[in-house]
């Protein structure tokens, strides 16, 4: 069941749909409460934990009451799932398959034990659940949500890297360049991703672009971090050079 019908999105903006209708989740902090409950799906979340997810720095004296108000309004809005009060806090009960984060993680886990061809298909499906920065880049939220967003983005980059490696092993560099190029532009210091993009360029006969990418990355690493390229990136550079003009 696709989540444009019923489900929850965290791999992009925080969103909820029931019966094909997008729900009005209200203000940003209410969305953060929902995101925290979804990340801990089917497990109790203490009010203090929700406060940590919602407020950056010291919360106001009214934080507990505000969180309770957000939970009350979410409970009224979220038909088809159960948001219950627990001795330890609140529990959102739902099938994990309704939440894009859990679908993404399941598909990545399945890919890890699959061969290159089916594994690549699973990773491609997993990455298809992403529509933007995790949790909509939770600026102004608490450290818990910010850390969760970073962790999810790292998982995304790892999946992108593994998909690129599999497609290169399958001899399909043409399916690596476009998606990997966009990721490298957003993460120009990720040397493993840069080396994979260089390899894809070189295998497509685009040696000049591979060398230009290496030089641009080398300068960036030197200027911003004061370091030289690591062994994997240097190896990709040598592979391109050895191919000759």
């Amino acid at each position: 069941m696709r989540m444009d019908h019923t489900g929850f999105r965290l791999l992009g903006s925080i969103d909820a749909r029931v019966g094909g209708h997008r729900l009005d989740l209200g203000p940003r902090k209410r969305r953060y409460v929902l995101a925290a409950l979804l990340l801990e799906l089917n497990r109790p979340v203490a009010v203090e934990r929700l406060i940590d997810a919602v407020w950056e720095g010291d919360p106001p004296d009214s934080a507990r009451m505000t969180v309770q108000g957000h939970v009350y309004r979410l409970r009224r809005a979220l038909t088809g799932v159960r948001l219950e009060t627990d001795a330890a806090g609140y529990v959102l009960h739902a099938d994990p398959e309704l939440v894009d984060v859990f679908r993404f993680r399941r598909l990545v886990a399945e890919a890890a034990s699959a061969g290159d061809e089916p594994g690549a298909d699973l990773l491609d499906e997993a990455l298809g659940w992403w529509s933007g920065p995790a949790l909509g880049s939770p600026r102004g939220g608490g450290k818990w949500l910010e850390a969760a967003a970073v962790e999810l983005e790292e998982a995304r980059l790892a999946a992108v890297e593994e998909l690129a490696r599999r497609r290169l092993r399958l001899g399909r560099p043409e399916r690596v360049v476009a998606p990997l190029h966009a990721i490298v532009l957003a993460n120009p210091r990720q040397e493993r991703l840069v080396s994979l993009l260089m390899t894809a360029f070189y295998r497509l006969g685009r040696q000049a672009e591979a060398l230009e990418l290496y030089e641009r990355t080398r300068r960036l690493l030197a200027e911003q971090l004061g370091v030289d390229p690591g062994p994997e990136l240097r190896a990709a550079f040598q592979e391109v050079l050895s191919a000759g003009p």
Side-chain angles (χ1 to χ4, degrees):
M1 178 167 48
R2 293 293 300 184
M3 270 186 284
D4 55 358
H5 181 70
T6 296
F8 302 93
R9 292 185 181 273
L10 300 177
L11 302 179
S13 60
I14 301 167
D15 191 19
R17 294 174 185 268
V18 173
H21 300 289
R22 185 175 184 178
L23 300 181
D24 181 5
L25 296 175
R28 182 181 59 184
K29 291 191 183 301
R30 190 174 305 155
R31 292 172 181 270
Y32 291 169
V33 170
L34 175 61
L37 292 167
L38 287 168
L39 289 170
E40 297 292 327
L41 192 68
N42 299 317
R43 294 186 291 188
V45 185
V47 175
E48 291 75 14
R49 185 91 160 132
L50 292 174
I51 291 172
D52 288 342
V54 170
W55 277 277
E56 181 180 21
D58 294 331
D61 294 338
S62 60
R64 177 177 290 270
M65 186 176 298
T66 301
V67 164
Q68 291 170 344
H70 287 319
V71 169
Y72 170 76
R73 286 168 178 79
L74 286 171
R75 185 177 283 131
R76 296 187 65 183
L78 299 177
T79 58
V81 297
R82 300 196 326 273
L83 177 49
E84 297 181 344
T85 301
D86 182 90
Y90 299 102
V91 187
L92 181 60
H93 294 279
D95 181 352
E97 286 294 298
L98 295 178
V99 185
D100 58 1
V101 166
F102 295 102
R103 283 201 174 214
F104 169 76
R105 289 173 176 167
R106 175 180 59 77
L107 290 164
V108 168
E110 290 176 2
S113 58
D116 280 344
E117 184 82 51
D121 290 341
L122 287 165
L123 288 167
D124 193 41
E125 183 181 353
L127 290 165
W129 288 106
W130 286 78
S131 60
L135 308 178
S137 294
R139 296 183 179 88
K143 290 183 179 179
W144 178 32
L145 279 194
E146 290 182 357
V150 170
E151 181 181 350
L152 288 168
E153 290 292 344
E154 289 174 349
R156 178 190 191 184
L157 292 181
V160 167
E161 178 183 339
E162 180 61 19
L163 177 57
R165 292 189 188 280
R166 288 179 183 242
R167 283 180 170 166
L168 288 173
R169 288 198 296 266
L170 290 165
R172 297 172 186 165
E174 73 284 355
R175 297 196 64 189
V176 172
V177 169
L180 200 54
H181 190 260
I183 295 292
V184 166
L185 284 176
N187 302 271
R189 299 192 309 228
Q190 293 285 336
E191 294 186 54
R192 293 195 301 271
L193 298 180
V194 172
S195 68
L196 290 169
L197 181 55
M198 285 180 60
T199 300
F201 276 144
Y202 141 70
R203 293 185 184 177
L204 289 170
R206 298 161 64 175
Q207 184 181 13
E209 289 174 84
L211 293 174
E212 180 184 353
L213 175 60
Y214 175 83
E215 181 58 24
R216 187 165 65 246
T217 305
R218 184 195 65 77
R219 289 198 306 267
L220 183 70
L221 292 171
E223 292 169 1
Q224 294 190 0
L225 301 178
V227 300
D228 294 323
E232 186 170 349
L233 188 52
R234 292 198 307 271
F237 176 62
Q238 291 300 323
E239 183 181 21
V240 175
L241 285 181
S242 66

